[in-house]
Amino acid sequence: MKIPEIKQNLSLNTVLSHYNLKPDNNNRLHCPWHDDKTPSLQIYPKTNTWTCFSSKCNAGSGDVIDFIMKYEVISKYEAIQKAIALIPLAQSIKPKTESEQTPNNFTDNEQPTTNNIATRTEVLTKAFNYFKAGLSGKSRQTLEYIESRGLDKTKLEIGYNSGQMHHRENRQYIESYVKYHILAISEAKGKTEKCYTVWAKYCIIFALRNKQNQITGLYGRSTINNNENKHFYLKDRSGLYPSYPKETTTKLILTESIIDAATLLQISGITKEYEILACYGTNGLTEEHKQAIIELKHLQEIIFAFDNDEAGSKAVEKYTQELKIINENLKISKIELPCKDVNETFISHEPTVFMHLLEQRKILFSDEKTNKKEKSQTGSPSNQHHIATSPLPKFNATNHEALTYETTELHVTVLGGIRISGLERMKVTLKIQIKNSHYDPLRQYLDLYNNEQLTRLIRTVNEQFEVKTETIRQAALGLIEELEHYRISRISLLQPLQPKAPELSPRDMTEGENYLLNPKLMRSTMEDLGKTGIVGEQHNRAIMYLVFLSRITEEPLHIISFGASGSGKTHLQEKIGILLPEQDKLEITTLSGNALYYFKHDEIRHKVLLIEDMDGAQEVLYPLRELQTKQKITKTVSLKDSQNNIKTITFTVHGPVCIAGCTTKIRVYEDNANRSLLIYIDSSREQDERIMTYQRDESAGKINKAEEKKYQLLLRNVQQMLKPLKVVNPYAPHLKIPPGVFKKRRSNWLYLRFIEIITLYHQYQREQKTNNETGEIYIETTLEDIAWANKLLKNVLLRKADELSEPARNFFEYLKKWLKENKMEQFKNKDIRDGLQVTASCLKRYLPELLNCGHIKITSGNKTKGYTYEITSYEEYEKLKNSINNLLDNLLDELKKKEEKNKNTVVCLV
């Protein structure tokens, strides 16, 4: 349908009615695009257009399509599709007769009760199903909001309320919606028909369920950032999210919000061990929640995962006291979040951080603590005096939320503990008491590193408690010293332990040495890589294995794997990564722009960074290039200290590192590509068949997994036994790369460096020589090393010399083969689509590239009827391959002849 036809069949009033917008008697209404106190949007029914006359608004004028596009914040194409969908609505504005009314939203067995009003459960269930269906195909803004909160709509039950559910097929249920407060009747002056206000409009919707797992309540979270009211609950709220905990629950996590609970539901490691229950805010632990907890007969522990703020802390403290009364045998603990709340922590960290936080959770109440407290309180006065005067540790950090420090006269408690981040300040809340005194304790919040605040505290304690100033000062300095040690020790405990290289057993070392002494080492390695479970990719897997070996040198190589989605590029990288010692690799799924700067200065030295998806690491491409070239990255930031003085801090992370990544793109940014060896995953039909055969054999139990692990361990041990020796290539002055290779300087360096790595791999077979001037030990390259480098890199150099992209080249070679087999000289789009089973979208990519490079030409036809093409040369690729092969092979033959001649000369002289 063309645009003029859409405008003719769809009136602006129909669109306004769809969005529940009602113009007044003068065809004016409040503009939806700015804060409009008086109606400023004029509707022109005759021309089917609108105009906003307010100087505060930039909406301007438009037609029905413009209104839809701006109202829903979507593209023009999406607005046209929406308009086409609304055209039938213009024909169905009139009320249906009783015979025409067929409830589309209820099944035959779930018809509404008399007068079209169903039960609450029926109505809310159908409404939520409608909201769930409404989530698909929603505006980009809604989907971006869900994605920004880290929520996966495929794992969670989420709906979306566009505010249109009482239109079209749902009109007959308006009375039910009004009864259960999903709609509210609003008054409109001058209008005879009813107008409605929609509950939780433009919100994502979650269902609350009762003990029978039926939907008895709904919760809406606004997707509009400037909306003051972000949380919407139905009136007469009931039900729990995500549901009532199972009767067998032993450990229950309470979150402050439904979004936080939904976040944790996505982490399988948590849902396997813990049940999750959402409170409805800091004051939202309802009687229904408490009753559900009381009924859990096997419950052992409740874990609070409330927000990391003052309100969250107070709520946890309040509910801990209430839950202790409910069940005095419960253990109650809380998670200390590194960010504001659970959802923000999930977005900012890997999901595994929650398992670590749960392991480190803080105990707030347990049965053992209560017993100890009762025993101390029921003791005799003499016994109490003995406890008070018995020697105690000067500093006690048993309870991280109440650190204590004692001198002979003072007892100081650091309430709420101390933040271990921000070492330039020491903000604390102190409770200071005088031992054996009737004075009330003094509580003070201050920064102990602020000399003015510390002096004021000493003076206050002196005046209030009549304790000598010097005694107080010494106690304060002692406390500061202890807190400094405490913070540093806590930080060191939280740092992840770097894996240490396991010591190889004598047997492993003997096997590894025998392997490296094999005269046919390269041939054996290529074969054994296939025995580790890698199917095909003979050259690619050998190249990657040697590139990863270069990590031990001061100038490592880097590699990028190209391939379509599902072609096996990430699988190949993972399989070769298994052959590396754990301490020598760092597997990364995604990287933020600043992530690399916050490693320790030598944490990634001589490691392989395995980046699963280069497409998602665009922000970090620049620091990656710097690491590749300069072997270090540096970043300087400005901070304010406790005195508000600005100072700069410099972060420096040292390499060298070996960087490996995968991408689905045809090409990557040139500055990153020319620093790396580029390999292309085999996408041939033969490789497809090899992989599928392996999958069938694996499913049938015919693959010897123990044998695969044996070779994986062997090749991993071999990598660990190699040392970073210097390599000298005496043949380097005579070596050349093909003239057609792009970026010759860096390509030449990559070629020479790869030869050196092959030499390094043969270090157990080469004589170690010493430089007489420097005393440096080195080994020399042989012609065999160069031969293996030529064999493995011929295809890499060919791809660097070919002006076509890899997918276009593969298509072109298939096309030439197909035309020869069918004895065709010319072809059309339809011919190759049918013959090669190629999609139209692929042809749109490949044919223009072949035309631009001059590999095909148009012989006849036009844009309307289609073009006829002809291949300009069938031999160009063979010529390119031969030129590269001949150059490398001829140079190698010449070097062999020279070496043979030199040997013969030496023999004659002797």
Side-chain angles (χ1 to χ4, degrees):
M1 184 177 289
K2 296 183 179 179
I3 292 178
E5 293 177 308
I6 296 173
K7 296 179 182 178
Q8 184 178 356
N9 288 281
L10 181 63
S11 69
L12 187 55
N13 283 330
T14 302
V15 174
L16 295 176
S17 176
H18 173 72
Y19 293 122
N20 203 30
L21 300 173
K22 306 291 182 181
D24 59 18
N25 293 331
N26 296 317
N27 283 323
R28 293 180 182 176
L29 54 79
H30 293 280
C31 180
W33 296 294
H34 74 278
D35 188 10
D36 200 3
K37 295 182 179 178
T38 58
S40 61
L41 189 74
Q42 181 69 53
I43 306 300
Y44 302 101
K46 290 183 179 180
T47 59
N48 214 25
T49 58
W50 54 270
T51 299
C52 181
F53 289 98
S54 173
S55 59
K56 299 178 182 179
C57 184
N58 58 4
S61 304
D63 53 26
V64 287
I65 296 175
D66 295 322
F67 191 94
I68 294 170
M69 180 174 66
K70 293 186 178 183
Y71 191 82
E72 294 203 12
V73 194
I74 56 179
S75 67
K76 189 163 186 176
Y77 173 80
E78 293 172 318
I80 291 172
Q81 299 303 313
K82 180 74 174 181
I84 294 172
L86 289 177
I87 288 175
L89 181 62
Q91 319 302 328
S92 59
I93 296 297
K94 295 180 181 180
K96 295 181 180 180
T97 63
E98 189 173 349
S99 60
E100 292 174 325
Q101 292 182 1
T102 304
N104 295 324
N105 209 31
F106 287 82
T107 64
D108 294 335
N109 296 327
E110 295 179 322
Q111 294 296 328
T113 55
T114 308
N115 298 328
N116 278 341
I117 300 181
T119 65
R120 179 184 177 92
T121 299
E122 289 175 340
V123 173
L124 298 190
T125 300
K126 294 307 171 183
F128 185 62
N129 288 336
Y130 179 86
F131 293 146
K132 284 197 296 183
L135 185 61
S136 60
K138 280 297 123 188
S139 69
R140 190 182 306 108
Q141 180 181 357
T142 303
L143 298 177
E144 285 177 354
Y145 174 82
I146 293 174
E147 185 178 350
S148 71
R149 300 305 296 262
L151 301 178
D152 187 346
K153 62 180 183 180
T154 62
K155 295 181 179 179
L156 301 169
E157 279 197 310
I158 308 177
Y160 176 72
N161 186 1
S162 62
Q164 306 304 312
M165 65 179 301
H166 55 297
H167 296 297
R168 302 178 70 177
E169 71 269 15
N170 288 301
R171 292 175 66 89
Q172 64 265 36
Y173 307 118
I174 289 178
E175 192 174 359
S176 297
Y177 294 154
V178 171
K179 178 178 179 180
Y180 297 113
H181 313 292
I182 298 176
L183 295 177
I185 301 174
S186 60
E187 296 181 359
K189 294 181 179 179
K191 293 291 180 180
T192 57
E193 61 181 23
K194 292 181 180 179
C195 297
Y196 300 96
T197 302
V198 181
W199 169 84
K201 189 175 182 180
Y202 305 135
C203 290
I204 56 173
I205 308 298
F206 297 83
L208 312 183
R209 298 178 182 273
N210 61 12
K211 194 173 182 180
Q212 289 73 39
N213 207 36
Q214 298 171 325
I215 299 177
T216 56
L218 297 174
Y219 163 77
R221 177 63 167 84
S222 176
T223 61
I224 302 174
N225 293 330
N226 59 1
N227 193 340
E228 295 181 0
N229 185 13
K230 297 180 179 180
H231 306 280
F232 297 83
Y233 291 92
L234 279 179
K235 191 175 180 180
D236 302 324
R237 179 180 63 198
S238 66
L240 304 179
Y241 182 84
S243 61
Y244 269 61
K246 297 177 183 176
E247 294 180 357
T248 56
T249 300
T250 58
K251 296 178 182 178
L252 178 67
I253 298 177
L254 293 180
T255 65
E256 185 173 320
S257 70
I258 287 177
I259 292 284
D260 289 344
T263 301
L264 294 180
L265 287 172
Q266 300 174 122
I267 306 174
S268 58
I270 291 181
T271 54
K272 287 179 182 178
E273 188 175 353
Y274 304 89
E275 281 289 301
I276 300 166
L277 187 60
C279 297
Y280 305 139
T282 52
N283 295 317
L285 186 68
T286 65
E287 292 301 318
E288 189 174 8
H289 286 88
K290 295 175 185 177
Q291 185 59 39
I293 293 172
I294 291 172
E295 293 175 2
L296 299 176
K297 304 302 182 182
H298 304 284
L299 185 62
Q300 299 173 3
E301 182 179 4
I302 290 179
I303 304 160
F304 284 100
F306 275 34
D307 291 2
N308 184 18
D309 56 18
E310 185 178 356
S313 299
K314 289 183 178 179
V316 169
E317 184 178 350
K318 169 187 173 183
Y319 292 138
T320 299
Q321 300 302 321
E322 294 179 7
L323 293 172
K324 283 196 299 185
I325 298 173
I326 291 175
N327 187 346
E328 62 181 9
N329 296 320
L330 275 179
K331 180 190 288 186
I332 302 175
S333 59
K334 77 169 184 175
I335 299 174
E336 290 187 339
L337 297 170
C339 299
K340 177 186 175 183
D341 55 31
V342 168
N343 185 254
E344 187 175 310
T345 302
F346 180 82
I347 295 169
S348 306
H349 297 73
E350 292 294 325
T352 52
V353 72
F354 287 100
M355 304 308 297
H356 173 75
L357 294 173
L358 283 166
E359 291 174 359
Q360 301 295 324
R361 60 186 181 270
K362 307 304 175 189
I363 304 300
L364 304 177
F365 170 81
S366 70
D367 190 29
E368 294 178 358
K369 286 187 177 181
T370 306
N371 293 338
K372 289 181 180 179
K373 184 176 180 181
E374 289 174 353
K375 289 179 181 178
S376 63
Q377 290 177 345
T378 55
S380 61
S382 59
N383 188 37
Q384 290 178 12
H385 177 74
H386 173 71
I387 293 173
T389 57
S390 61
L392 292 170
K394 194 174 185 180
F395 181 76
N396 191 332
T398 304
N399 187 345
H400 296 305
E401 294 295 318
L403 309 172
T404 60
Y405 181 78
E406 290 200 53
T407 66
T408 53
E409 297 183 48
L410 297 175
H411 181 96
V412 183
T413 304
V414 183
L415 299 174
I418 184 171
R419 288 186 177 272
I420 61 173
S421 60
L423 296 180
E424 74 279 2
R425 56 187 177 273
M426 190 178 280
K427 293 184 178 181
V428 295
T429 299
L430 300 181
K431 177 182 177 182
I432 304 173
Q433 297 171 280
I434 303 296
K435 290 184 177 181
N436 304 321
S437 172
H438 63 281
Y439 290 110
D440 293 330
L442 170 69
R443 296 173 179 83
Q444 181 66 47
Y445 172 76
L446 78 159
D447 185 351
L448 291 174
Y449 283 171
N450 188 312
N451 189 58
E452 183 179 342
Q453 294 180 16
L454 184 60
T455 302
R456 193 182 306 123
L457 174 70
I458 293 171
R459 185 168 58 249
T460 302
V461 175
N462 170 256
E463 293 174 354
Q464 183 168 329
F465 293 148
E466 299 178 358
V467 179
K468 293 181 180 180
T469 301
E470 186 60 27
T471 301
I472 305 168
R473 183 180 300 278
Q474 290 300 322
L477 295 176
L479 175 62
I480 292 171
E481 190 76 19
E482 293 289 351
L483 289 176
E484 285 177 342
H485 291 308
Y486 167 76
R487 288 205 296 191
I488 292 172
S489 64
R490 285 289 307 280
I491 290 173
S492 63
L493 287 174
L494 291 177
Q495 291 293 337
L497 296 175
Q498 295 297 322
K500 296 181 179 179
E503 294 185 5
L504 297 180
S505 66
R507 179 182 176 182
D508 290 338
M509 294 187 68
T510 301
E511 287 182 356
E513 186 174 350
N514 291 337
Y515 191 87
L516 291 168
L517 288 171
N518 185 350
K520 297 181 179 180
L521 175 60
M522 281 299 300
R523 189 176 302 279
S524 297
T525 302
M526 290 188 68
E527 293 175 359
D528 293 342
L529 284 170
K531 296 175 183 178
T532 63
I534 304 172
V535 180
E537 304 289 357
Q538 285 85 353
H539 284 192
N540 285 343
R541 69 196 186 195
I543 292 171
M544 189 175 289
Y545 184 74
L546 292 169
V547 168
F548 288 178
L549 171 62
S550 70
R551 75 190 182 280
I552 67 176
T553 68
E554 292 302 318
E555 293 181 291
L557 290 168
H558 314 282
I559 190 168
I560 299 176
S561 304
F562 291 82
S565 177
S567 60
K569 56 190 178 301
T570 306
H571 177 75
L572 176 63
Q573 182 172 281
E574 289 175 352
K575 283 290 188 179
I576 300 296
I578 292 174
L579 310 181
L580 295 177
E582 286 296 325
Q583 71 278 3
D584 289 351
K585 64 182 177 181
L586 184 62
E587 296 177 283
I588 300 170
T589 304
T590 56
L591 275 173
S592 63
N594 293 318
L596 287 173
Y597 296 102
Y598 297 109
F599 285 109
K600 293 180 182 178
H601 70 281
D602 61 348
E603 188 176 349
I604 59 176
R605 277 177 61 84
H606 298 297
K607 289 190 177 183
V608 179
L609 301 187
L610 300 170
I611 303 173
E612 291 184 11
D613 186 5
M614 294 286 287
D615 303 343
Q618 297 299 312
E619 296 181 359
V620 80
L621 290 183
Y622 175 71
L624 283 176
R625 291 198 300 275
E626 293 300 294
L627 264 178
Q628 290 173 316
T629 304
K630 298 180 180 179
Q631 310 296 356
K632 70 174 183 179
I633 51 175
T634 303
K635 181 176 183 178
T636 301
V637 297
S638 59
L639 298 172
K640 285 186 178 181
D641 60 15
S642 58
Q643 305 297 326
N644 285 329
N645 298 318
I646 297 178
K647 61 180 181 179
T648 58
I649 297 177
T650 300
F651 300 93
T652 301
V653 179
H654 291 276
V657 295
C658 169
I659 298 170
C662 303
T663 180
T664 57
K665 294 184 177 179
I666 298 174
R667 293 183 177 91
V668 295
Y669 186 58
E670 187 176 0
D671 276 2
N672 289 85
N674 59 37
R675 288 171 166 84
S676 308
L677 288 173
L678 310 180
I679 62 172
Y680 294 83
I681 299 302
D682 186 357
S683 58
S684 66
R685 294 171 184 176
E686 294 78 10
Q687 175 68 359
D688 290 342
E689 188 57 39
R690 284 192 290 267
I691 292 174
M692 289 189 291
T693 300
Y694 179 88
Q695 292 170 342
R696 296 184 194 107
D697 290 343
E698 185 178 31
S699 180
K702 295 181 180 181
I703 302 298
N704 190 338
K705 291 295 182 179
E707 188 75 5
E708 288 184 355
K709 290 184 178 180
K710 171 187 171 183
Y711 279 98
Q712 290 172 3
L713 179 60
L714 173 61
L715 291 174
R716 188 185 308 140
N717 293 340
V718 165
Q719 285 259 349
Q720 192 169 327
M721 290 180 64
L722 295 167
K723 306 300 179 186
L725 296 176
K726 179 178 176 57
V727 175
V728 173
N729 184 357
Y731 305 100
H734 308 288
L735 298 176
K736 296 179 182 178
I737 61 171
V741 171
F742 303 124
K743 300 295 179 183
K744 295 183 180 63
R745 298 179 183 180
R746 280 188 170 148
S747 297
N748 185 59
W749 182 87
L750 291 171
Y751 173 59
L752 294 174
R753 189 70 183 128
F754 190 74
I755 294 172
E756 294 175 10
I757 299 305
I758 293 178
T759 305
L760 185 68
Y761 190 49
H762 289 82
Q763 62 182 251
Y764 277 73
Q765 303 177 28
R766 303 293 157 79
E767 178 188 355
Q768 292 189 4
K769 300 181 179 181
T770 305
N771 188 317
N772 294 329
E773 295 181 2
T774 63
E776 188 176 22
I777 298 174
Y778 66 92
I779 56 177
E780 288 188 347
T781 296
T782 66
L783 291 176
E784 186 183 2
D785 299 338
I786 299 173
W788 273 108
N790 290 348
K791 181 177 181 179
L792 292 174
L793 292 186
K794 276 181 181 178
N795 193 54
V796 174
L797 294 174
L798 177 63
R799 295 304 315 135
K800 282 183 173 286
D802 191 2
E803 59 186 341
L804 291 179
S805 64
E806 176 74 7
R809 170 56 67 187
N810 291 337
F811 165 76
F812 191 36
E813 294 307 305
Y814 278 127
L815 175 61
K816 288 191 289 187
K817 181 180 178 182
W818 181 77
L819 290 174
K820 285 182 178 180
E821 291 174 351
N822 291 274
K823 298 179 181 180
M824 296 173 60
E825 294 183 358
Q826 297 181 339
F827 63 91
K828 292 184 177 181
N829 282 5
K830 188 176 186 307
D831 298 332
I832 53 179
R833 283 186 62 185
D834 295 339
L836 295 179
Q837 300 296 310
V838 180
T839 62
S841 60
C842 289
L843 290 182
K844 287 182 180 179
R845 290 199 305 269
Y846 300 150
L847 292 182
E849 187 175 349
L850 294 174
L851 278 170
N852 293 335
C853 295
H855 294 299
I856 62 174
K857 64 180 180 181
I858 298 173
T859 58
S860 63
N862 55 50
K863 188 175 182 181
T864 304
K865 295 182 179 180
Y867 295 104
T868 301
Y869 302 93
E870 184 179 80
I871 291 177
T872 57
S873 173
Y874 281 83
E875 294 79 23
E876 50 86 25
Y877 193 51
E878 289 301 319
K879 289 179 180 178
L880 180 62
K881 284 197 289 188
N882 291 336
S883 66
I884 292 176
N885 293 341
N886 291 339
L887 176 65
L888 296 177
D889 294 340
N890 291 340
L891 282 174
L892 186 59
D893 289 340
E894 289 178 10
L895 290 173
K896 287 180 179 179
K897 290 177 182 178
K898 285 183 181 180
E899 186 168 276
E900 190 67 31
K901 185 177 179 180
N902 291 336
K903 286 181 180 179
N904 293 335
T905 303
V906 172
V907 171
C908 291
L909 289 173
V910 173

